[in-house]
Amino acid sequence: MRPVTLGTERLLLRPFEPRDVPAVHAACQDPDILRWTTLPEPYERRHAQEFVLDIGPAGWREDTAYTFGVFTRDGELAGSTGLVRITPPGPEGRLAELGYWTARAHRGRGYTVEAARAVADWAFTELGVERLEWFAEAGNTGSRAVAERLGFVMEGTLRARITFRGTRRDAWVASLLPSDRGLTAAVPYLPAP
């Protein structure tokens, strides 16, 4: 897929560029980001370079992950959001997982919800995603609060779903459907009675 840019009232979402390496490196020094994501620790400049220059572009090129840098209108890095584990298009529609992190200085402003909502709407309207999933290690209340504000429906706790630094951990799981956003899906949904 060709990379796209999305805009919201306060934010610009675009694929990361080489000039973003220092900002990504700086943001990912935050202990909270390192605690709740699978980033390497310590997070070195070479990790930011690999993410920005190799991993991000490969995801777009191979249709496996669509990563956006989230920037304020004045160009400051507020975080990252995107889709991973994207299934190929097919008659049943696509599935994808939504992920995000927020730079410490930009937490509490609603930027992550705003950016993730734009990505979710794009996934439903442009990519034909029929089910958007969210996973986080059980206990990550900040990520869960964002998912709930987006309208994700909590579905439970999956035992040993996440491997984190050599240990299997339980994960919360939730989903968002096109119908949750007032959109029509290509494949009708018949909920259990």
Side-chain angles (χ1 to χ4, degrees):
M1 164 166 278
R2 291 179 59 130
V4 301
T5 298
L6 304 174
T8 70
E9 181 180 332
R10 302 180 298 163
L11 302 169
L12 178 68
L13 285 69
R14 62 166 174 78
F16 285 107
E17 299 173 355
R19 65 185 165 136
D20 301 321
V21 168
V24 168
H25 178 250
C28 293
Q29 299 308 301
D30 176 15
D32 288 333
I33 291 176
L34 294 172
R35 166 59 185 96
W36 296 113
T37 66
T38 57
L39 295 177
E41 187 176 8
Y43 192 79
E44 299 172 356
R45 183 177 172 89
R46 67 183 172 90
H47 297 121
Q49 289 173 319
E50 182 181 19
F51 175 67
V52 169
L53 303 177
D54 301 325
I55 295 170
W60 285 96
R61 188 173 52 252
E62 298 164 9
D63 289 321
T64 56
Y66 306 139
T67 304
F68 294 92
V70 178
F71 297 89
T72 62
R73 289 294 175 167
D74 63 2
E76 201 171 328
L77 176 66
S80 178
T81 190
L83 303 175
V84 297
R85 295 183 203 15
I86 304 162
T87 63
E92 296 85 29
R94 301 177 92 174
L95 304 178
E97 180 184 333
L98 179 69
Y100 40 81
W101 56 259
T102 309
R104 179 178 291 282
H106 293 286
R107 292 188 189 133
R109 299 178 185 179
Y111 288 160
T112 306
V113 172
E114 186 175 326
R117 183 172 288 124
V119 172
D121 287 346
W122 173 71
F124 292 144
T125 60
E126 300 297 321
L127 301 179
V129 169
E130 298 269 333
R131 176 181 161 90
L132 197 53
E133 297 177 326
W134 164 87
F135 295 93
E137 183 180 332
N140 188 344
T141 56
S143 185
R144 182 175 177 151
V146 169
E148 289 175 335
R149 285 187 59 201
L150 287 165
F152 275 79
V153 174
M154 292 300 142
E155 297 177 333
T157 301
L158 301 177
R159 297 182 321 138
R161 170 61 171 79
I162 294 173
T163 302
F164 182 75
R165 308 209 193 292
T167 306
R168 296 204 70 79
R169 313 276 177 108
D170 294 345
W172 287 329
V173 60
S175 68
L176 186 68
L177 306 177
S179 58
D180 297 330
R181 303 282 300 135
L183 302 168
T184 303
V187 179
Y189 169 49
L190 180 61

